[in-house]
Amino acid sequence: MSTKTPTEADILRPIQNVSKGYLALFALCALALGAFLVGWAYQLQQGLIVTGLGDWGSGGGVTWGMYIGAFIWWVGIAHGGIILSAAVRLLGMERYMPVARMAELMTIAGLSAAGFYILVHMGRPDRMVTSVLGHYHITVNNSPLVWDVTVITAYFVLTATYLALTIRYDVVRLRDQLPDRFNPIYKVLTLGYSEEEDEVVERMVWWLALAVIIMAPLLLHGGVIPWLFALLPSMPAWEGGIQGPTFLAIALMSAISGITLAAYGFRRAYDWDHIITDDIFRGLLLWLGFFCMLFLWFQLQYAVNGLFKAPIPRAEATQAKVGSPIYQTAIGMIGLSLAYIFAMVIRPALFSKKRALIVSVAVLAATFTEKLLFVVEGFLHPVFTLYEATPGEYFPSAIEWLSLAGTIGLVVLVFLTVSKVVPIVELHAIEHLRGGHGHSHEHEHEPVEESTKKPEVEA
């Protein structure tokens, strides 16, 4: 383990350096997003018929496929990210402070990807104005789509406010070290700043974190999103009170895995082994194991209730899902990940960052697969048989696969872009790792090298 002392220069390194690896990754992600935009333009020209989203019902395909499956997945990652960041601040989990801002960015990026999927799946983006916003007072009472838009917008604003409040502290104290080309952005971020606001902002952030924790099972991935499925009586594959806890567990699993990948990438790229330590990865793995165990238990509850003397429609839907090799593969991946985490707890020498990376990728792939299958199987087994004889089947089209690659590219681009403007690890984390309490407000505009020599006060 590194014995280096974290400094402000460390967290400024991504802003001040552009490597060939950074440019290559940026170009790759931009290419993926661009390919998706081309595919979307073709879909806008030809209609949704170019995808695998055709008719629906047994044997007739589905109208909600990868677009909605990926939408749920990204919303889960986003909501899980803000929950983790809120827990760090609310519960005093300073150990994870170096990755708290990454969790907040994961929320912003994930919500952007999820919102993009709503536009894509509507077929015509102008319907967002003509059908949703133009008649919001009516549609909000009876449209699942409008509830999706409402929840995503509310939490995007909440997270953006949350993130902006914490960034102000860093920008003010590191302004002399930040590039002048982004000065207009910094002026907006620090508009109206005064040294007396720090204590007020700290309380505001605490209350925002409390609101996130309280509302997580109500309006986040444990509430509105699963309710939109579970309360549809004609779709037995979706019904049941277990959907809310299952969605929340998947959200936290996916978010932890995504943060692990981001943390690993930044640590390796910028030599941050003394900031994002092995202990952080171990802790994230333990939390991941806990939520994987909950998820598998929830899946057992779903299977038992759906297979043992359940109504015939629900039993058929459950048998189709549980018997699918795709579902079995996803559950097996999560089970193997949990087995490794248990083994690591018993024998710590089994831990390695690369294994943590593999586990995170496996969990992300498994949760995406489960959500896609959840949506598709729900449509393939409705209570009514109106479309039973309709020919056709569902398999994601090339445009849908491009949408997944494009939104992953979008999320990575958000991280790459933001990391060149503001510190991706907040100054509070560095102060905590150094055992300090922040810099004196009296000298906040002096260079960092000088301000660290001044008497320190509680930040």
Side-chain angles (χ1 to χ4, degrees), residues 396-416:
S397 63
I399 292 178
E400 291 171 273
W401 287 114
L402 281 176
S403 76
L404 179 61
T407 49
I408 292 175
L410 172 65
V411 169
V412 177
L413 285 173
V414 169
F415 274 87
L416 293 177

Side-chain angles (χ1 to χ4, degrees), residues 167-425:
I167 287 177
R168 285 167 68 89
Y169 180 90
D170 295 7
V171 171
V172 168
R173 284 153 184 78
L174 300 175
R175 182 63 192 90
D176 292 333
Q177 313 300 314
L178 297 172
D180 292 335
R181 61 182 177 276
F182 298 127
N183 191 50
I185 297 176
Y186 300 141
K187 285 184 176 179
V188 172
L189 288 173
T190 58
L191 188 65
Y193 178 84
S194 66
E195 61 183 38
E196 290 82 11
E197 80 172 39
D198 289 337
E199 185 178 349
V200 176
V201 167
E202 192 70 20
R203 288 199 301 269
M204 290 177 63
V205 170
W206 190 92
W207 282 107
L208 285 171
L210 180 62
V212 168
I213 295 297
I214 292 175
M215 297 173 71
L218 300 177
L219 293 180
L220 293 180
H221 222 57
V224 170
I225 304 298
W227 291 342
L228 297 179
F229 290 91
L231 298 179
L232 292 177
S234 60
M235 315 301 281
W238 294 342
E239 68 181 9
I242 199 65
Q243 298 301 349
T246 301
F247 272 54
L248 189 56
I250 287 179
L252 291 164
M253 290 161 55
S254 304
I256 292 172
S257 299
I259 293 166
T260 299
L261 294 180
Y264 180 88
F266 279 101
R267 167 175 160 145
R268 181 170 181 176
Y270 299 108
D271 192 25
W272 280 354
D273 57 307
H274 57 308
I275 296 176
I276 304 175
T277 62
D278 288 357
D279 284 342
I280 291 178
F281 288 103
R282 287 193 184 94
L284 289 173
L285 275 179
L286 291 177
W287 281 109
L288 179 60
F290 173 72
F291 292 115
C292 283
M293 184 171 60
L294 281 181
F295 168 77
L296 292 177
W297 181 51
F298 295 149
Q299 289 297 300
L300 178 62
Q301 299 294 318
Y302 170 82
V304 170
N305 282 271
L307 296 175
F308 185 73
K309 292 188 179 302
I312 293 177
R314 184 172 182 184
E316 291 178 347
T318 305
Q319 288 171 2
K321 180 178 180 180
V322 173
S324 169
I326 299 175
Y327 174 81
Q328 294 169 3
T329 300
I331 295 299
M333 292 168 67
I334 294 176
L336 289 174
S337 299
L338 180 60
Y340 164 71
I341 295 171
F342 274 160
M344 183 197 72
V345 173
I346 297 172
R347 189 178 178 186
L350 291 174
F351 167 80
S352 75
K353 293 181 293 296
K354 289 185 178 180
R355 288 171 183 163
L357 202 66
I358 293 172
V359 166
S360 298
V361 172
V363 169
L364 283 171
T367 54
F368 173 78
T369 302
E370 196 280 334
K371 283 298 101 184
L372 176 59
L373 193 62
F374 169 83
V375 171
V376 172
E377 287 295 335
F379 264 104
L380 289 179
H381 302 281
V383 171
F384 49 86
T385 58
L386 180 62
Y387 293 98
E388 195 170 59
T390 302
E393 59 184 13
Y394 174 76
F395 185 81
S397 63
I399 292 178
E400 291 171 273
W401 287 114
L402 281 176
S403 76
L404 179 61
T407 49
I408 292 175
L410 172 65
V411 169
V412 177
L413 285 173
V414 169
F415 274 87
L416 293 177
T417 303
V418 173
S419 68
K420 294 303 175 187
V421 181
V422 297
I424 205 76
V425 173

Side-chain angles (χ1 to χ4, degrees), residues 111-189:
L111 289 176
S112 299
F116 201 3
Y117 266 115
I118 291 179
L119 289 176
V120 171
H121 191 259
M122 290 184 73
R124 286 172 42 189
D126 60 291
R127 289 174 178 163
M128 180 62 69
V129 177
T130 58
S131 300
V132 177
L133 300 180
H135 302 85
Y136 183 83
H137 63 290
I138 298 174
T139 55
V140 73
N141 295 319
N142 50 34
S143 172
L145 170 64
V146 178
W147 270 100
D148 285 339
V149 172
T150 302
V151 170
I152 287 176
T153 303
Y155 277 91
F156 188 93
V157 173
L158 177 65
T159 305
T161 303
Y162 191 93
L163 182 60
L165 289 175
T166 61
I167 287 177
R168 285 167 68 89
Y169 180 90
D170 295 7
V171 171
V172 168
R173 284 153 184 78
L174 300 175
R175 182 63 192 90
D176 292 333
Q177 313 300 314
L178 297 172
D180 292 335
R181 61 182 177 276
F182 298 127
N183 191 50
I185 297 176
Y186 300 141
K187 285 184 176 179
V188 172
L189 288 173

